[in-house]
Amino acid sequence: MAVDDVLDDLPVAAVVVAADRRVTAANQLAAELTGRPQLVGCLLDDLLGPVDGEEPVWLRAWDPSARLRSVTGFPEHEVTLRRPDGSSVAAVVSGHYRRAPDGTLVSVVIAARPSRPRGKRTPSGMEVVSTVSHELRSPLTSVKGFTSLLLNRWERIPDDQKQTMLGQINQDADRVTRLITELLDISRLETGRLHLRRQQVDLVALARSVVEKVTHGYPDLDCTVSFPDGFPEVYADPDKLEQVLTNLVENAAKYASPVGMRIDGSTADTEVAVAVHDRGEGIPAADLPRVFSKFFRRDLGRPTGSGLGLWISRGLVEAHGGRLTASSIEGQGSVFRFTLPLDAFERLHG
């Protein structure tokens, strides 16, 4: 069956773009959406434009992560499709990389659909802020209260209490910083503009550091770190990996149990894996496929959190060319595992 015939069977507008960014095949829905009866031969850069001034990083060239064999494509985000008559249409696009046996990028299959009407769109930035406002309010209230107390009664407060208050202020300030970073990451992930500051990362040291930091918020945390000797370093953004691992450990402490937790690592030929194991009640089978959905919060007592942490974590891992998955057995606990490629440096700089 010809490629064009396969594309015409798809329920969305679809085009195949070669590595040189020229369209080699397209279906009828793509022709209708772009207003171009003849799409083959068009340069992708001439078809796409930014939305509200924000350009996807791959608008003028493929994202550097396209060089990584383990990266399979880019997630949905909004772009502007330019039409020959001068008009434009907002569309949501996603892409799947097609590779040669050696991992070299051959082409990209891009699927597009018109953006949903305003009444059916995903939450806006202001709605996201509203969703997490209570998450910001709690640490800020604590910071304000303790600083006010220290300023007004410094001479009367014993040194050990001052130390405790300053430690809590520092912890709450870190929490606010992380929440703000997550808000920024939402926009960057959805527009494909996330920038990774990669360097060699020691995952064993990172895991131990995360456990130490999370212990400040969960004093009862009992978490062992178990990695094989000589565990390899990865070429990644240490801040983003710390964000992912902190999220997984805090989620396990909050929703499962802070006791009996374990972080371990394993290696394969082309990747490493880091897993967070807990001994909680487990996640119901009906909820498991939804835990990485944006704004999803389990109906477990009074829902807490923004429902964004796992969604963001998965996006950060995938931006590195890895995968984040979850498995669970009710009554026994859950495991959240993410992988990272070992050949990232060679692929990106080779």
Side-chain angles (χ1 to χ4, degrees):
M1 183 180 291
V3 173
D4 287 354
D5 294 334
V6 174
L7 294 182
D8 282 331
D9 288 338
L10 297 177
V12 295
V15 296
V16 178
V17 183
D20 65 0
R21 300 176 66 78
R22 289 195 178 275
V23 177
T24 59
N27 63 9
Q28 183 59 35
L29 290 176
E32 295 172 359
L33 184 61
T34 61
R36 298 173 185 263
Q38 181 53 260
L39 271 169
V40 175
C42 290
L43 188 64
L44 180 64
D45 303 351
D46 295 334
L47 300 177
L48 302 177
V51 175
D52 297 329
E54 289 288 327
E55 284 194 356
V57 293
W58 55 271
L59 186 60
R60 303 300 170 200
W62 300 123
D63 186 272
S65 66
R67 303 174 197 168
L68 298 174
R69 181 195 297 266
S70 56
V71 177
T72 58
F74 53 83
E76 280 194 345
H77 54 273
E78 197 169 21
V79 298
T80 296
L81 296 177
R82 299 193 183 102
R83 290 177 163 175
D85 61 5
S87 64
S88 61
V89 59
V92 176
V93 302
S94 60
H96 176 75
Y97 298 142
R98 301 169 71 187
R99 302 183 183 279
D102 65 355
T104 304
L105 183 67
V106 174
S107 61
V108 182
V109 180
I110 296 178
R113 58 177 174 78
S115 294
R116 282 173 284 191
R118 286 290 175 180
K120 298 182 180 179
R121 58 180 173 79
T122 55
S124 67
M126 288 306 298
E127 289 168 325
V128 172
V129 171
S130 176
T131 300
V132 301
S133 62
H134 68 285
E135 290 288 298
L136 291 166
R137 187 180 300 114
S138 177
L140 287 175
T141 299
S142 172
V143 168
K144 175 63 176 175
F146 280 129
T147 52
S148 177
L149 187 61
L150 288 169
L151 286 171
N152 292 324
R153 302 187 180 183
W154 180 265
E155 300 297 337
R156 303 184 218 173
I157 301 175
D159 288 345
D160 59 338
Q161 290 187 22
K162 290 177 184 175
Q163 186 73 24
T164 300
M165 291 179 185
L166 289 172
Q168 185 63 48
I169 290 171
N170 184 64
Q171 178 185 332
D172 287 332
D174 286 343
R175 182 179 170 192
V176 170
T177 300
R178 193 167 73 251
L179 286 167
I180 292 173
T181 299
E182 289 183 346
L183 288 175
L184 294 172
D185 283 342
I186 293 170
S187 172
R188 291 165 181 160
L189 287 169
E190 290 185 328
T191 60
R193 296 180 62 82
L194 183 73
H195 178 64
L196 299 177
R197 295 176 173 83
R198 292 178 184 262
Q199 63 187 64
Q200 292 301 121
V201 180
D202 182 343
L203 290 170
V204 183
L206 179 67
R208 289 173 177 158
S209 174
V210 166
V211 170
E212 182 180 352
K213 291 179 180 179
V214 175
T215 301
H216 293 304
Y218 296 88
D220 295 334
L221 181 65
D222 169 28
C223 181
T224 60
V225 176
S226 175
F227 284 74
D229 293 338
F231 197 77
E233 294 185 343
V234 293
Y235 188 55
D237 186 323
D239 293 335
K240 299 305 181 189
L241 293 190
E242 180 178 356
Q243 186 177 339
V244 170
L245 197 51
T246 299
N247 223 324
L248 298 181
V249 173
E250 284 191 343
N251 270 13
K254 182 189 300 183
Y255 297 111
S257 170
V259 178
M261 201 182 303
R262 184 176 87 255
I263 303 175
D264 60 24
S266 59
T267 61
D269 292 338
T270 60
E271 65 183 19
V272 298
V274 177
V276 177
H277 307 251
D278 68 57
R279 292 184 181 175
E281 297 180 0
I283 303 171
D287 286 344
L288 197 58
R290 304 160 58 199
V291 294
F292 296 112
S293 301
K294 191 189 295 186
F295 299 112
F296 174 72
R297 293 184 295 177
R298 288 180 57 199
D299 186 17
L300 186 65
R302 191 166 69 98
T304 60
S306 63
L308 293 168
L310 288 177
W311 179 84
I312 292 172
S313 295
R314 184 181 62 177
L316 295 179
V317 171
E318 290 178 348
H320 280 86
R323 303 177 305 281
L324 174 58
T325 59
S327 60
S328 184
I329 299 176
E330 287 193 68
Q332 297 184 29
S334 305
V335 181
F336 284 81
R337 176 180 285 104
F338 64 90
T339 63
L340 296 167
L342 282 171
D343 61 352
F345 184 88
E346 292 77 10
R347 288 285 178 178
L348 293 173
H349 300 288

